Amino acid sequence: MCGRTACNLKRETYCKALSYKDRNDKLYRQPEWYELENGGHEFKASNNIAPTDVTPVLVSGEEFVDYPSRLLTPMVWGMIPPWHKGNLNDHGLSTNNCRIENLTTSKLYSGPLNDGRRCIVVCEGFYEWKTTEGPGKKKPYFIHTPQEKEVSVYDKNAWESGHWSGKSGWCGPSLLKLAGIYNKWKSLTGDIYSYSVITMESSKTFSQLHHRVPAVLENEQMIDDWLDSRRISSSRAISILHPTDNLTWYEVSSIVNNSRNKSENCNKPISKIVSKSSTFMTSWLTGKNKNDDSNEENSMRKKPKI
């Protein structure tokens, strides 16, 4: 399952971190940021992205422009049924995830799949809730792709200070890349593009958190095959997807439970968050000690003789 993600970077950073080589390229290139009109819906960076929010997805340029390339474009999370009439959010279906077992038979998903509308959902990571002892109690965790030693996926500065060049590509933290499918919906305000994340039964390793896991694209070959719908058929593309063990996670604060909370602390390890109360107490004790030291020093001074 995937019901919340972190997408808190600049669009330029996403483009750099998704650099790639085409088959005949000698140098790395970046996907072009491509703005869809999308009925006025825009990407807003956040560490707490929820369904119906807009996030960047990677698509084949051949589906939108006249030349082969990769495009990074913002789309609404949660596929809107093409037959839906009404407002964006009132179709009554839960479409942020689509089960791989139902892709080829679903009335909603089989059409876009057969039309080659495959995309890659990019993010720093996603959240999952693990049931703990006690009724209704769950702990949130942040799941991401393994990083190089001493690289903190939650540190925005680590991302924004990453280096890119045509010769070496991206040198910085690694994004998580999830297989998805997208479609176009005609609203009263114009065309809106929306997507769903493909999920499957978890691997033995990840099942300790949840019995479902997003379909992770782990290498450049999988990414290329998933995007190239003209070369790779839908059945073959589905066959390359498998539950991954190449994930790592840590516990985060329950502040992420509320999707309206966009704090920078949402995807930090819970051990890295200093509460306001403890900060206040530390400040108060520091100030008190200074006052005590000052009073003691004053009391030890000799009074001048009159």
Side-chain angles (χ1 to χ4, degrees):
M1 182 174 178
C2 182
R4 212 76 64 78
T5 65
C7 291
N8 198 36
L9 308 178
K10 297 176 182 177
R11 61 180 65 178
E12 296 86 358
T13 306
Y14 283 115
C15 289
K16 291 177 182 178
L18 291 166
S19 62
Y20 68 102
K21 282 184 178 179
D22 233 342
R23 292 186 185 88
N24 299 320
D25 285 346
K26 293 183 178 179
L27 297 177
Y28 285 91
R29 64 167 73 179
Q30 299 177 24
E32 175 186 344
W33 183 274
Y34 185 76
E35 280 287 356
L36 294 166
E37 291 186 8
N38 244 3
H41 297 270
E42 298 179 349
F43 167 56
K44 295 180 181 179
S46 168
N47 272 331
N48 198 357
I49 297 286
T52 72
D53 287 340
V54 177
T55 77
V57 300
L58 196 64
V59 295
S60 170
E62 292 177 318
E63 303 301 320
F64 293 90
V65 293
D66 294 331
Y67 51 90
S69 65
R70 292 182 186 177
L71 302 178
L72 195 60
T73 186
M75 293 187 185
V76 176
W77 186 10
M79 189 180 291
I80 307 165
W83 59 83
H84 174 60
K85 306 293 182 183
N87 295 322
L88 172 69
N89 302 325
D90 64 1
H91 54 76
L93 299 177
S94 178
T95 60
N96 53 298
N97 295 159
C98 52
R99 298 170 68 92
I100 194 170
E101 298 89 344
N102 302 333
L103 272 179
T104 59
T105 58
S106 166
K107 178 183 177 182
L108 176 58
Y109 300 124
S110 59
L113 178 69
N114 293 331
D115 290 340
R117 292 187 168 180
R118 306 196 295 256
C119 65
I120 297 175
V121 182
V122 297
C123 57
E124 292 90 285
F126 68 98
Y127 299 91
E128 193 55 81
W129 282 258
K130 180 181 179 181
T131 302
T132 59
E133 293 184 5
K137 290 188 176 181
K138 292 185 176 183
K139 288 184 179 181
Y141 289 81
F142 187 67
I143 299 96
H144 60 91
T145 192
Q147 304 293 325
E148 295 292 333
K149 188 177 181 181
E150 298 181 357
V151 173
S152 299
V153 70
Y154 58 86
D155 183 3
K156 191 173 181 179
N157 290 330
W159 291 94
E160 303 301 355
S161 61
H163 174 71
W164 184 88
S165 71
K167 185 175 181 180
S168 59
W170 170 250
C171 296
S174 298
L175 290 168
L176 190 61
K177 306 168 188 75
L178 311 176
I181 54 175
Y182 70 92
N183 207 358
K184 181 171 66 174
W185 175 65
K186 293 186 178 296
S187 74
L188 296 177
T189 58
D191 293 340
I192 294 179
Y193 286 84
S194 58
Y195 69 87
S196 296
V197 176
I198 297 173
T199 67
M200 56 184 58
E201 287 291 329
S202 294
S203 65
K204 185 177 180 180
T205 302
F206 192 76
S207 61
Q208 59 186 289
L209 275 186
H210 200 275
H211 67 281
R212 303 288 296 182
V213 67
V216 177
L217 299 170
E218 301 179 62
N219 55 56
E220 183 59 29
Q221 187 62 59
M222 292 179 71
I223 291 170
D224 195 43
D225 288 349
W226 185 254
L227 289 179
D228 194 346
S229 60
R230 302 189 180 190
R231 180 175 60 90
I232 304 296
S233 67
S234 58
S235 58
R236 184 179 169 193
I238 292 174
S239 71
I240 71 173
L241 304 179
H242 59 267
T244 181
D245 283 319
N246 193 32
L247 292 171
T248 188
W249 55 85
Y250 53 80
E251 185 181 352
V252 295
S253 169
S254 59
I255 59 174
V256 74
N257 293 356
N258 188 338
S259 62
R260 289 175 293 185
N261 190 347
K262 307 298 184 182
S263 167
E264 293 290 326
N265 286 331
C266 283
N267 70 336
K268 284 184 179 178
I270 197 167
S271 60
K272 298 291 183 181
I273 299 175
V274 180
S275 67
K276 291 182 179 179
S277 58
S278 63
T279 303
F280 171 79
M281 181 61 71
T282 301
S283 177
W284 180 80
L285 288 173
T286 302
K288 184 176 184 300
N289 289 337
K290 285 183 178 180
N291 291 334
D292 290 345
D293 292 343
S294 177
N295 292 335
E296 183 178 352
E297 182 181 347
N298 289 335
S299 66
M300 293 177 66
R301 290 176 181 167
K302 292 183 180 179
K303 295 182 179 180
K305 294 180 180 180
I306 300 177

